[in-house]
């Protein structure tokens, strides 16, 4: 198993760099179920941030990328069950993906709630506002 940095994922998804995209494609397409790539939760959050902020992908397009990543047998996503829940919450609400993942991760870890100053996270992710 090898770790995949966010920039490798971005180059593969965006196919926007004449030098790096073919290298990312070769690497990712050489992965197998027996020798998979590993994507950590931080890389998932960064990927969403880059695709939304730099490439202006819609929420629907981002969810499609994430769902494909999660379904790919040649890629292991850290805490995939939690990431799946975050994708579903993100898809069904106006929440920020990172907030979805933070709230669900805390809930899955047994937290009573997640404290925040972010009113949108309270509204869409069930966090508790600190007043």
């Amino acid at each position: 198993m090898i770790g995949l940095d966010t920039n490798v994922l971005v180059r593969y998804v965006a196919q926007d760099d004449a030098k790096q995209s073919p290298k990312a494609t070769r690497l990712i397409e050489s992965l197998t179920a027996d020798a998979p790539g590993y994507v950590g939760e931080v890389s998932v959050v960064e990927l969403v941030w880059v695709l939304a902020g730099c490439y202006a992908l819609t929420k629907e397009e981002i969810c499609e990328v994430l769902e494909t990543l999660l379904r790919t047998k040649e890629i292991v996503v850290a805490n995939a069950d939690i990431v799946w829940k975050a994708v579903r919450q993100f898809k069904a609400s106006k929440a920020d993906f990172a907030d979805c993942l933070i709230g669900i991760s805390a809930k899955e870890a047994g937290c009573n709630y997640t404290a925040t100053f972010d009113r949108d996270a309270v509204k869409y992710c069930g966090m508790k506002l600190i007043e």
Side-chain angles (χ1 to χ4, degrees):
M1 185 159 45
I2 61 166
L4 300 172
D5 191 12
T6 309
N7 55 31
V8 174
L9 298 171
V10 169
R11 293 287 85 78
Y12 182 73
V13 171
Q15 291 294 314
D16 64 343
D17 186 284
K19 286 185 177 185
Q20 293 181 351
S21 292
K23 292 176 183 178
T25 299
R26 269 193 311 278
L27 175 62
I28 289 175
E29 292 182 359
S30 75
L31 299 171
T32 67
D34 292 329
Y38 173 84
V39 178
E41 287 179 85
V42 172
S43 291
V44 174
V45 172
E46 284 184 339
L47 178 62
V48 171
W49 184 80
V50 170
L51 293 178
C54 300
Y55 294 89
L57 265 64
T58 65
K59 179 184 280 198
E60 183 177 289
E61 292 168 323
I62 290 168
C63 287
E64 186 176 321
V65 168
L66 294 176
E67 289 168 353
T68 299
L69 187 69
L70 286 159
R71 285 189 186 107
T72 301
K73 293 176 186 173
E74 297 81 13
I75 295 180
V76 174
V77 176
N79 298 308
D81 56 332
I82 293 171
V83 176
W84 266 114
K85 289 176 184 178
V87 170
R88 285 193 286 277
Q89 185 178 55
F90 175 61
K91 198 174 194 177
S93 71
K94 294 182 181 180
D96 178 76
F97 178 75
D99 289 338
C100 293
L101 188 58
I102 291 165
I104 289 170
S105 294
K107 183 177 180 181
E108 293 290 320
C111 297
N112 294 326
Y113 63 89
T114 299
T116 187
F117 292 111
D118 183 340
R119 292 185 187 280
D120 283 340
V122 171
K123 186 175 181 179
Y124 301 116
C125 300
M127 294 185 192
K128 184 176 178 182
L129 189 67
I130 297 175
E131 303 205 54

